[in-house]
Amino acid sequence: MQSNEEAAMILGDPQIGDALEKIAFNSLPGALDKQIKNHQYYSLPNQVESNYADHGFKQNYSNGMMPSPTSGFPCCRFNMHMGWPYLVKNMWAASADGGIGVIAYGPSKVSVKLKDANVTINETTNYPFEDQIKFDITASKKVQFPLKLRIPAWSVNPTVTVNGEPVKAVKAGEYVSIDRKWKSGDKVVLQVPMKLKTTTWVNNSIGIERGPLVYSLQMDESWQVKNKPIAEVPGFNASTLGFNEYSVKAENPWNYGLLIDREHPEKSIDVITGPMPENPFEQATTPVKLVAKAKKIPTWGKAANNVEAAEPPVGPILSTEPTENIELIPYGAQNLRITYFPEVTESLADTGAAKYEAEKADISRAEVRTNTPHASGRSYVGGIDFAESYVKFNQVVVPKAGNYNVDIWFANGNGYNASTGKMIVNGEVHSLTYQGTQGWGRFMATKIEVPLKKGTNTIMFMKDQGFYELDYIVVRPLQNKGS
């Protein structure tokens, strides 16, 4: 957050403000308990339990996903409290042309000397839960300066008025500069209508967003004290004040896939709004909820460590399970969540999304390794050690020509040293970089966009510099812009 705040002040790039708000309104509250006493060093978009486990991270703290004052590396127990104050401190910035501009929105007040006038701008809003932001100007005397408002890229038909009069040239994804003579009593209203949108993630999974907020499955969280990391001293018992290490388990089903039109999510999702509470990131009273249609996926369970959710199965998945209404709430309103959902369907159509296991490919001078709990299907291909080694997928079938994303699940156990490999798609060579993973046989994903022809394609993986192992690939269509 601090990096984005500083970069936004230096560059004046509105996209940085969008990114800052997405972190501040999702990742920050999602990593903290709601009394800001404990934090999680790691937070996953699909996190169905917080407990001691081998998470497979490069910095692999067994308690790294447990709410605790000592979760993960020690620095965060001191830094966690800086998030909100730094955001407020950096919401506003001076501009090079003698004005003032907004980096991030939220209830705030800024007082500044512009030319020889004392100016105060009072910002009132329930953003990011509501889409109207008001600015009331107080000035010691009339003064001309530019007021610059960041128009979020996701906003739909945004508008700005000054004393009820519309401002021209308001465009999403840009700053609008209102250069005029300001006086006490002037009122500016910014309206940034929020539309439901989908995003596409690993294994063709679906995320749901509305404005800067990301939405996740509402979870029934059960918190239990697992450890008391702060020793009691005379006159002070940290544990009784809530400074404990907690395990958190989900008491509800979570393995759902969404029934959804990716381009028009509003057709199957209802937006439910309520009054603004004192803390909008409390699960029980958060003021915006979504109701979506979903089906359970019985084959989707936990990962090998029996704590995290396994990676989402590749959709669309044909399902005959009953359709249910599920509630989604802001990511930051809870500590457990499902955020990236598989897509389920009642009538399967060929989208080109498919999973291809490496051990079922055509293999030369490499070997299939089995009984590995962290690999898909417990098998993968290793020993890709020679210049002539390859793993060739000969039957990659897509319904139409165009560019597709390919998710590549790989392992590179050579410490922090990246390796490179060749990916040959229908004879065209692409270069891939494989970062170090937690170890050999411990997989993560990278992504590349490649052109494919209609019908059958060949994708081959070969060695370049260093070594890597291959678990599986997922071919998925590109997401339409605006979805």
Side-chain angles (χ1 to χ4, degrees):
M1 287 176 59
Q2 176 72 358
S3 297
N4 278 337
E5 290 157 13
E6 295 293 338
M9 281 189 271
I10 295 168
L11 300 174
D13 184 344
Q15 295 184 28
I16 299 174
D18 287 357
L20 169 62
E21 289 186 350
K22 198 165 191 180
I23 297 169
F25 299 139
N26 297 284
S27 298
L28 176 61
L32 306 176
D33 71 354
K34 305 320 165 194
Q35 292 73 43
I36 316 185
K37 294 180 178 179
N38 303 294
H39 73 282
Q40 296 170 199
Y41 189 76
Y42 293 118
S43 292
L44 300 182
N46 286 359
Q47 185 170 337
V48 298
E49 183 176 340
S50 296
N51 218 328
Y52 301 119
D54 174 3
H55 304 292
F57 302 139
K58 200 67 178 172
Q59 285 185 277
N60 204 23
Y61 306 104
S62 65
N63 73 339
M65 292 204 313
M66 299 175 71
S68 168
T70 59
S71 179
F73 196 73
C75 63
C76 285
R77 70 191 68 166
F78 309 106
N79 295 340
M80 58 180 273
H81 308 93
M82 299 181 186
W84 292 122
Y86 271 55
L87 176 70
V88 174
K89 177 174 72 77
N90 294 322
M91 280 180 164
W92 293 84
S95 62
D97 54 1
I100 188 169
V102 180
I103 290 175
Y105 291 109
S108 62
K109 182 170 72 173
V110 60
S111 296
V112 63
K113 190 156 191 154
L114 294 170
K115 297 182 179 176
D116 56 351
N118 295 316
V119 177
T120 295
I121 304 174
N122 189 44
E123 178 182 354
T124 56
T125 183
N126 287 329
Y127 183 92
F129 300 92
E130 297 177 9
D131 60 11
Q132 188 179 81
I133 306 168
K134 297 180 180 179
F135 305 90
D136 292 295
I137 312 294
T138 301
S140 60
K141 63 180 181 177
K142 289 185 178 180
V143 59
Q144 182 151 349
F145 64 87
L147 173 64
K148 299 175 184 291
L149 302 181
R150 195 192 97 250
I151 310 301
W154 46 258
S155 58
V156 181
N157 299 320
T159 61
V160 177
T161 61
V162 177
N163 300 329
E165 294 296 320
V167 173
K168 296 180 180 179
V170 178
K171 296 181 180 179
E174 298 182 2
Y175 270 95
V176 61
S177 182
I178 310 167
D179 194 350
R180 69 191 299 272
K181 189 167 283 189
W182 299 93
K183 66 182 185 304
S184 288
D186 284 341
K187 297 182 183 298
V188 180
V189 178
L190 168 62
Q191 200 83 29
V192 284
M194 300 176 181
K195 179 183 177 182
L196 289 168
K197 62 172 282 190
T198 65
T199 53
T200 301
W201 297 91
V202 69
N203 289 4
N204 207 38
S205 57
I206 307 168
I208 306 295
E209 300 179 10
R210 180 176 179 267
L213 293 179
V214 177
Y215 285 81
S216 305
L217 177 68
Q218 182 167 329
M219 308 291 271
D220 180 8
E221 297 180 345
S222 174
W223 289 57
Q224 300 292 328
V225 175
K226 293 286 282 189
N227 188 23
K228 299 177 181 180
I230 301 177
E232 183 178 355
V233 297
F236 179 75
N237 187 335
S239 177
T240 61
L241 297 175
F243 294 93
N244 296 300
E245 189 163 81
Y246 293 90
S247 68
V248 189
K249 296 185 178 181
E251 299 292 340
N252 59 291
W254 54 264
N255 53 339
Y256 287 100
L258 292 181
L259 276 168
I260 195 169
D261 181 340
R262 289 178 185 250
E263 296 185 33
H264 299 284
E266 70 280 357
K267 291 182 179 179
S268 58
I269 298 178
D270 295 323
V271 180
I272 311 297
T273 59
M276 176 62 63
E278 182 178 0
N279 182 355
F281 292 106
E282 291 275 4
Q283 186 196 66
T285 56
T286 189
V288 181
K289 295 187 177 184
L290 310 180
V291 178
K293 298 188 181 302
K295 292 173 177 283
K296 288 193 182 79
I297 302 175
T299 56
W300 186 22
K302 288 186 175 180
N305 65 10
N306 203 36
V307 171
E308 282 102 50
E311 297 298 338
V314 179
I317 300 167
L318 186 65
S319 174
T320 58
E321 294 288 315
T323 299
E324 302 179 43
N325 287 331
I326 61 171
E327 287 193 349
L328 311 181
I329 65 174
Y331 181 105
Q334 52 192 359
N335 291 79
L336 300 183
R337 60 189 67 86
I338 290 292
T339 310
Y340 301 149
F341 296 85
E343 180 182 356
V344 294
T345 181
E346 294 171 328
S347 56
L348 192 61
D350 186 7
T351 65
K355 178 180 181 179
Y356 300 88
E357 294 279 2
E359 66 270 19
K360 296 180 180 178
D362 182 10
I363 300 167
S364 178
R365 297 213 70 183
E367 61 183 36
V368 175
R369 294 172 179 170
T370 59
N371 296 321
T372 302
H374 300 288
S376 172
R378 300 180 66 87
S379 299
Y380 68 97
V381 174
I384 311 171
D385 297 343
F386 308 98
E388 60 272 24
S389 298
Y390 65 76
V391 180
K392 184 189 297 184
F393 300 89
N394 290 311
Q395 296 291 321
V396 176
V397 179
V398 296
K400 59 183 180 181
N403 281 11
Y404 287 76
N405 279 324
V406 181
D407 298 323
I408 302 151
W409 288 86
F410 71 93
N412 169 14
N414 190 25
Y416 288 93
N417 299 311
S419 61
T420 59
K422 299 174 186 176
M423 177 183 179
I424 304 171
V425 181
N426 297 327
E428 182 180 349
V429 179
H430 303 264
S431 180
L432 295 170
T433 299
Y434 299 107
Q435 300 298 331
T437 61
Q438 200 264 346
W440 297 110
R442 304 300 296 270
F443 299 94
M444 64 180 288
T446 188
K447 180 185 76 172
I448 187 172
E449 181 181 328
V450 297
L452 298 177
K453 62 185 181 182
K454 180 180 179 180
T456 302
N457 297 263
T458 298
I459 299 178
M460 182 166 65
F461 293 85
M462 299 186 72
K463 174 182 166 23
D464 189 19
Q465 301 295 319
F467 305 95
Y468 67 96
E469 300 170 328
L470 196 61
D471 190 8
Y472 64 93
I473 66 171
V474 173
V475 176
R476 53 185 173 90
L478 297 183
Q479 184 176 20
N480 291 335
K481 291 183 179 179
S483 298

